[in-house]
Amino acid sequence: MGKSTVYVCFSILLMFNIYSSCHSSSLYPRPSETRQIQELNGMWNFRADFSPNSDRGFTEKWFRFPLSKTGPVIPMPVPSSFNDITTDKKLRDFTGIVWYDREFYVSPDWQMKRVVLRIDSAHYASVVYVNGKPTLEHIGGHLPFEGEIATFLNFDKVNRITIAVNNTLTPYTLPPGTISHHKNDPRYPPGYSVQVLQFDFFNYAGIHRQVRLYTTPAVYINDITVTTLNIQETNAILKYAVKVGNATQGTTISVEVVNKEGMVLASSSGDSGNIETKAAHLWWPYTMNTTHYGYLYTLKIRGKGLDFPLIARDFNMLKWLGANCFRTSHYPYAEEIMDQADEQGIVVIDESPAVGLKMKVNFCKKNLEYHTRVMTELVSRDKNRPSVIAWSVANEPKSDTDYAADYFQHVINYTKGIDPTRPVTFVSSSDYDKDQVAKYTDFQCINRYYGWYQDTGHTETIATHLSYDLDHWYKVLQKPIMVTEYGADTVPGLHAEPSFVFTEDYQVEFLKQYHAVFDKYRTRFLVGEMVWNFADFMTDQSVTRVLGNKKGILTRQRQPKAAAYVLQTRYWSMINATTPVHDEL
Ligand code: BDP
């Protein structure tokens, strides 16, 4: 009997009836005169459900009791992905449902307030119980969700929160995946099945961002949208809209524009309107000012989980390199990373988790609806961020098909509809003459691997391939183009002269070939270059990956390979250069 691939819509997704219950969240919790925060981060109890369908926890209702009463538990940090914490291979590679719980107290003062539970991200589908009662459900592993929980809480005794998280990826998840079964195959262990991914990074899972409670008054601000209508020197007109929860007849809204020092610059009242403010400062990337043109250069950083030391290190390395932009490949990054981009002047192309849409089934109607919902969640989370200059709806889908064209025409137009102020793009790996989606974008991103996956080892072919490619893309599209991936796997410390694939010498030679071409096009329609990748990263096990993807110009520990110095010299010379102009735009 051979191998069979079956698309399993894993029971947990059905069980949760998740499509009918989703609480997305747009305002990041911040303490104020009227809002208090209680963190639920720390060590939780944890157990993976290793039963054959990973459904024992649900059939035995583990959420009714402390997890430690229904079986063995191990300590698991929240936030973190559970995969790399223990030395257990079965847990690292686990596909199915894992359970977390912990106890907590809330102040009796909170009895009169709205209490909201917010989970910044749990991958992939989650059900949350408070004191044994189902409270929240969410699908999607990269965006926050929240809900009011006061009615479930004890104010006079201990509370318990239990979260079940399913990391199974199916053709109907974003990103999609499949489960390959080898049932009744004597050449495999009984019941053997394995998660097959359609993308190139490890499917890290669990509660990998913060879990917090926060309070609001009974009448509260639910959402704020701010857009800049006009700016003349330092005079700006801002348009705002405030959504109020539980508003009553007597609810009044006052709005103030406050600068960094806390000084009130302008004020208004009402739930929407325009405010004129003086002393406005335009947000610029730290590498640019009004005399520079908008060329972006950079790479991807790790953004799935939340790790403050790593975030700080990554932004230090971005600045050390002189990089001014990153794309959140291939899923929305933690809000704390986005905060740093806003604060430190790094431009972001904000990408959805739609990576690896390769099979026809991935473009079905159900996925289209879900994809637009994810765009809504992403846009509502990040819409007020000055660093976000564009939305990327997908990375490398099968964009040379008519079904992808129909699907993405819808997703792109939908995204433009919910945010008419920013350009929308997707990242193509198709050829200029086959791609059917690029015609719908505002600018086009392309990933190219000449001298790596194509003509491996032959850096002398890069310049002709790339020039041909860029010329033709521009001829067809007549719009700005950005190369959002180019790179070569490099094992740190490996050297060969003349260069050979996987050596540091090859990566250096390879990048220089691309840069020579970029320099010819960047005063024309090429608006950005992004090396793949900022740092090495973990992937699934495969014969083309040596403990992960090694295309980083930094190691996974964030130390430079030789290529990092090439980029550093290049980026800083661009920062210090006088301004060229995009002739053809
Ligand atoms: C591209 C993908 C990226 C991979 C890269 C690679 O967008 O996720 O990591 O290839 O193969 O196609 O290194």
Side-chain angles (χ1 to χ4, degrees), residues 87-125:
T87 52
D88 181 357
K89 197 172 181 178
K90 262 176 74 189
L91 182 57
R92 183 192 66 195
D93 299 337
F94 179 72
T95 304
I97 299 168
V98 296
W99 290 79
Y100 292 77
D101 85 357
R102 67 162 281 170
E103 294 185 337
F104 63 97
Y105 288 92
V106 285
S107 161
D109 301 349
W110 282 21
Q111 214 151 345
M112 305 306 291
K113 299 176 193 264
R114 245 185 102 242
V115 182
V116 180
L117 168 65
R118 189 189 206 253
I119 297 171
D120 293 354
S121 159
H123 185 72
Y124 176 82

Side-chain angles (χ1 to χ4, degrees), residues 200 330 395-396 447 449 453 485 532 537 545 549 551:
D200 182 41
H330 301 303
N395 181 68
E396 298 192 355
N447 293 346
Y449 285 95
Y453 293 120
E485 285 184 30
W532 193 254
F537 59 94
R545 296 287 177 259
N549 187 310
K551 294 193 186 70

Side-chain angles (χ1 to χ4, degrees), residues 124-139:
Y124 176 82
S126 332
V127 198
V128 181
Y129 301 85
V130 175
N131 294 321
K133 304 257 167 35
T135 313
L136 292 179
E137 298 169 357
H138 185 255
I139 45 172

Side-chain angles (χ1 to χ4, degrees), residues 277-297:
T277 177
K278 299 193 183 344
H281 294 283
L282 274 184
W283 184 95
W284 285 100
Y286 78 98
T287 55
M288 292 181 201
N289 56 44
T290 35
T291 62
H292 279 67
Y293 75 131
Y295 190 72
L296 303 172
Y297 25 95

Side-chain angles (χ1 to χ4, degrees), residues 81 89 123 131 152 208 256 271 283 386 394 447-448 471 539 552:
S81 307
K89 197 172 181 178
H123 185 72
N131 294 321
F152 300 95
H208 47 206
E256 288 180 343
D271 62 1
W283 184 95
N447 293 346
R448 290 300 181 261
D471 283 336
T539 62

Side-chain angles (χ1 to χ4, degrees), residues 198-201 300 327 329-330 351 355-356 358 395-396 427 429 447-449 452-453 484-485 487-489 532-533 537 539 544-545 549-551:
Q198 297 169 204
F199 52 82
D200 182 41
F201 50 89
K300 159 216 157 104
R327 170 170 64 116
S329 45
H330 301 303
E351 187 161 279
V355 54
K358 300 285 186 201
N395 181 68
E396 298 192 355
V427 178
S429 57
N447 293 346
R448 290 300 181 261
Y449 285 95
W452 188 254
Y453 293 120
T484 37
E485 285 184 30
D489 282 85
W532 193 254
N533 189 291
F537 59 94
T539 62
T544 59
R545 296 287 177 259
N549 187 310
K550 289 280 187 285
K551 294 193 186 70

